[in-house]
Amino acid sequence: MYDAIDPAAGPEAGGQDGSGHDGMGYYPSEGGGFIDGLSDADRDMAASYGWRDTAGILESYRSLEDRLSGALRVPGEDAGSEEQAAFYADVSSRWTPKDGYRFKMPETLPENFPYDRAFAQEAGDWFKEAGLHPEAAQKLHDRWVGKMAEQFSAHEEAAFDAAQKQGQAAEAAHLSLVREYGEPDSDGYQNAIAKADRALSTLKTAGVDLTGWFAEKGALTTAGSDGLQQVTDPVAVKLLAFIHDSAFAEDGLNGFGAGGEGGNPFETGNPDLRQQSDLLENSPLRARQMIVAAGRDPRLFGL
């Protein structure tokens, strides 16, 4: 072996006196000769690793082999797809969470955003199957949720704008009817609305339901939570009132599904008090229509 000494030491210490000292602070000890044939760079390397003899080098080599045996080896450029897949599966198994991903919610989501936790869990299973690192899975989750939030906000804005426009159209239609028929509580206005409603209902009874058609054309709004619709185009009311007058003739009874024997119980020349009472009690709207059709004032009958 070789031991470090002081180059300035005297002959008794094996210094620079030609006693075999190599001039680098080493001298041969038991079994000498290990350092003699090394270059300066190799001598420095041997010193840094603590190699004093071949046994030390072999021990370092065995330790290195042990470490390399448990190391991952990246497939070469000529590796097949199966080898590459096996390597990635081995690597990803070290970080893939066994109990699934725990996603954090982005801070910029709309307050009423409908986050789908069930789908997030399903997507997490896909990420696990793909072997995504938790940080990569979180980034992908955030991008997906962010895109959904954008679409949700755009849909909300479009629905709000549509509701605004629909409300404005309904108000404009109302004002148009008021200008033509009078205030909402006037007989003219009420009569026009009643005729339109009766024509629409009677046509539906006869198998011709125009409600959806009018809604698609923008003449009626979609039904609200109360099941009612609003007129957004006054032409629809005028058309239905015209159909009513044309289909039911002068007495307001002849035509689509009028029922009975075709007479108007409110006619002054041929009143039917029993039928009048029944209509006033059970069908006040139809009673009003018949009273107006008979040329009489609904207020005389308490309507």
Side-chain angles (χ1 to χ4, degrees):
M1 295 178 63
Y2 283 78
D3 295 319
I5 64 172
D6 181 0
E12 68 277 9
Q16 300 177 2
D17 61 351
S19 61
H21 176 244
D22 61 7
M24 296 298 295
Y26 295 90
Y27 68 91
S29 58
E30 299 177 6
F34 173 68
I35 296 297
D36 292 346
L38 299 180
S39 65
D40 291 346
D42 289 343
R43 289 181 182 184
D44 290 340
M45 178 179 173
S48 66
Y49 282 102
W51 295 338
R52 294 178 177 272
D53 53 24
T54 54
I57 296 177
L58 293 174
E59 180 62 28
S60 294
Y61 180 76
R62 281 192 292 268
S63 177
L64 177 61
E65 274 196 329
D66 289 340
R67 290 196 299 271
L68 290 178
S69 64
L72 292 173
R73 298 184 180 181
V74 180
E77 295 182 357
D78 58 345
S81 58
E82 292 184 1
E83 183 180 351
Q84 294 178 4
F87 170 77
Y88 183 73
D90 188 15
V91 173
S92 62
S93 65
R94 301 167 187 263
W95 63 60
T96 305
K98 295 181 179 179
D99 57 348
Y101 298 93
R102 295 292 183 267
F103 297 121
K104 297 179 181 178
M105 297 293 289
E107 298 179 355
T108 57
L109 291 179
E111 184 177 353
N112 57 338
F113 175 70
Y115 181 73
D116 192 340
R117 296 187 180 279
F119 182 73
Q121 179 63 47
E122 184 178 0
D125 293 339
W126 301 342
F127 298 164
K128 184 176 180 180
E129 182 180 352
L132 291 184
H133 188 278
E135 291 184 4
Q138 181 68 55
K139 289 181 180 179
L140 188 58
H141 166 272
D142 292 349
R143 293 296 296 272
W144 161 64
V145 172
K147 187 65 176 180
M148 294 299 100
E150 289 179 5
Q151 295 180 353
F152 174 76
S153 296
H155 175 75
E156 289 281 282
E157 184 176 353
F160 177 80
D161 291 343
Q164 289 285 92
K165 292 179 180 179
Q166 195 174 71
Q168 294 171 359
E171 179 65 19
H174 169 74
L175 293 176
S176 177
L177 292 173
V178 167
R179 285 193 296 269
E180 184 161 350
Y181 298 108
E183 292 299 321
D185 57 351
S186 66
D187 287 343
Y189 188 99
Q190 291 292 329
N191 189 36
I193 296 298
K195 286 182 178 180
D197 183 73
R198 185 182 181 195
L200 190 63
S201 299
T202 306
L203 286 168
K204 183 176 181 179
T205 302
V208 184
D209 188 358
L210 297 179
T211 306
W213 185 82
F214 275 125
E216 291 176 0
K217 298 299 180 183
L220 293 173
T221 66
T222 54
S225 57
D226 55 3
L228 301 178
Q229 295 175 283
Q230 289 182 300
V231 176
T232 56
D233 187 345
V235 174
V237 174
K238 297 176 184 178
L239 173 62
L240 289 171
F242 173 79
I243 292 175
H244 173 275
D245 290 342
S246 299
F248 295 99
E250 294 183 355
D251 61 5
L253 288 174
N254 297 326
F256 297 107
E261 298 179 356
N264 188 335
F266 294 97
E267 287 183 341
T268 54
N270 185 30
D272 186 333
L273 299 181
R274 184 186 62 77
Q275 192 174 357
Q276 285 183 15
S277 177
D278 181 66
L279 287 168
L280 290 170
E281 180 177 355
N282 300 312
S283 304
L285 179 59
R286 187 177 183 186
R288 168 184 277 276
Q289 295 168 346
M290 293 182 177
I291 292 169
V292 172
R296 307 181 69 179
D297 188 349
R299 288 175 293 185
L300 296 176
F301 298 88
L303 298 176

